[in-house]
Amino acid sequence: MSEATHEATLSTTHDEPRVVAAALAPDNTDAMTTAVDGDAVRTTIVREDAGGLAASVDDYLVNLTVADAVCETARDTDNT
């Protein structure tokens, strides 16, 4: 990848941040780094152009929503 000029960092809190981060990992690209800090999942995305960054952020947010919903459903199922 040539020199990147656009970056976004997304930080979200979760009841099970390590599980959410692990669920996201298979879809992360080389342009993404994810870390867990307490109850937060922080992902930084670096892209060469704004359009690519926007597309990557959009894809990541869809994947994040699904991962968090699966964790919540699993937790609710365990409690029944």
Side-chain angles (χ1 to χ4, degrees):
M1 180 184 283
S2 64
E3 186 176 332
T5 58
H6 295 81
E7 179 178 314
T9 299
L10 299 97
S11 181
T12 53
T13 57
H14 305 273
D15 291 334
E16 310 237 7
R18 292 191 188 289
V19 175
V20 171
L24 292 168
D27 290 319
N28 284 357
T29 68
D30 291 341
M32 305 167 119
T33 57
T34 298
V36 174
D37 181 19
D39 65 349
V41 175
R42 287 192 182 84
T43 298
T44 300
I45 304 168
V46 180
R47 295 293 301 268
E48 294 178 17
D49 59 81
L53 179 63
S56 292
V57 168
D58 184 58
D59 289 346
Y60 174 82
L61 291 174
V62 169
N63 294 339
L64 176 66
T65 301
V66 171
D68 199 42
V70 169
C71 288
E72 185 175 329
T73 299
R75 187 175 48 254
D76 291 347
T77 302
D78 286 345
N79 292 329
T80 58

